[in-house]
Amino acid sequence: MLSPAVEILHLSYTYPTGQVALRDICLRIPVGEHVALVGPNGAGKSTLLLHLNGLLTGQGEVRIFGVPLSPATVRQIRSQVGLVFQSPDDQLFCPTVFEDVAYAPIYAGLSPAEVEARVRAALAVVGMSAHAERSPFHLSLGEQKRVALATVLVMQPAILALDEPTAGLDPRGRRELMALLRTLPQTLLLATHDLDLVRLICPRTVVLERGEIVADGPTEHVLSDPAFLEAHGLA
Ligand SMILES: Nc1ncnc2c1ncn2[C@@H]1O[C@H](COP(=O)(O)OP(=O)(O)OP(=O)(O)O)[C@@H](O)[C@H]1O
């Protein structure tokens, strides 16, 4: 049987401050599925995403394509799971867009020709080809978010974990990014407060609250009950 892209088994995490962020999370995401992770502020969405490629390590197990995440496998798993942070400032730091997108493939030791080809392809996917020589810090937030996505797509990850991809965008930027995300073929776990985005691209929705999964099912069901949405801070 094909291993799921992501399997999380009884994962719990407490920050060093003592703040409990995840409690006994179990989640299975088959290959190719687009899953939304929703819930009120502080529910644990970002914390959960940070566990997918070992940036945080809690109690329990995370398996990527059946391989348990461990110090021995974390490097391989980071090449399979592309994590895009909420703030592009956490992802962009080079003088030009091209250099930011080229950073990971250069670091991975790819040939200059391969780096060039991959960067051009990733910038084309996110519609930023014309901006390769610009400073990322002179771009709009929407453009920065596209470049941040390109810095991850360039490594051709099979799984994408996106934290609040549409937060802070104006209506046009949001619409354009939604259209782009809709075309991505990867397995997708999307943490967001944007329920229109969820309805558009995620057939399945997981609701987190205070570190626990309180609902997991077809988006049309999970998001259809106004009383449930209100009770969980989603309305
Ligand atoms: N670095 C940290 N140190 C201590 N506690 C933290 C840290 N980061 C997050 N937390 C706490 O862990 C819990 C989960 O936070 P997390 O950022 O994962 O929630 P979230 O669902 O992503 O929230 P939001 O919708 O506001 O982005 C919260 O109680 C938060 O205050």
Side-chain angles (χ1 to χ4, degrees), residues 15-17 19-21 39-48 86 163-164 193 208:
Y15 280 99
T17 56
Q19 177 66 48
V20 178
N41 292 132
K45 304 180 297 294
S46 302
T47 305
L48 184 57
Q86 179 169 349
D163 202 351
E164 294 286 0
H193 295 285
L208 266 188

Side-chain angles (χ1 to χ4, degrees), residues 45-222:
K45 304 180 297 294
S46 302
T47 305
L48 184 57
L49 295 190
L50 291 170
H51 279 80
L52 292 185
N53 65 4
L55 287 175
L56 290 178
T57 313
Q59 285 181 307
E61 191 159 277
V62 175
R63 294 186 191 154
I64 302 297
F65 296 112
V67 176
L69 206 156
S70 72
T73 60
V74 70
R75 199 180 150 87
Q76 171 204 343
I77 283 176
R78 283 196 182 151
S79 71
Q80 294 171 314
V81 182
L83 182 56
V84 182
F85 299 109
Q86 179 169 349
S87 168
D89 287 346
D90 293 331
Q91 216 129 17
L92 305 176
F93 48 85
C94 290
T96 68
V97 165
F98 187 97
E99 288 167 279
D100 256 325
V101 182
Y103 187 86
I106 291 172
Y107 186 73
L110 301 185
S111 71
E114 176 74 8
V115 171
E116 170 91 22
R118 283 201 188 201
V119 173
R120 298 289 172 208
L123 287 176
V125 168
V126 302
M128 288 296 289
S129 299
H131 303 272
E133 301 312 324
R134 287 181 66 188
S135 162
F137 307 104
H138 296 163
L139 301 175
S140 72
L141 179 66
E143 292 166 340
Q144 287 180 340
K145 286 209 171 221
R146 286 166 173 271
V147 175
L149 180 58
T151 67
V152 164
L153 292 178
V154 73
M155 294 308 289
Q156 303 177 345
I159 300 168
L160 285 174
L162 309 182
D163 202 351
E164 294 286 0
T166 56
L169 300 185
D170 67 18
R172 190 176 62 182
R174 176 169 165 267
R175 254 194 333 269
E176 288 175 356
L177 197 74
M178 283 164 75
L180 163 61
L181 295 179
R182 209 176 176 182
T183 65
L184 296 176
Q186 287 87 350
T187 303
L188 193 65
L189 185 58
L190 180 74
T192 186
H193 295 285
D194 185 341
L195 300 187
D196 293 335
L197 173 66
V198 172
R199 290 188 178 97
L200 187 70
I201 69 172
C202 296
R204 176 179 166 198
T205 294
V206 173
V207 182
L208 266 188
E209 188 169 4
R210 292 196 200 93
E212 283 180 286
I213 294 180
V214 295
D216 178 357
T219 296
E220 60 195 282
H221 294 167
V222 174

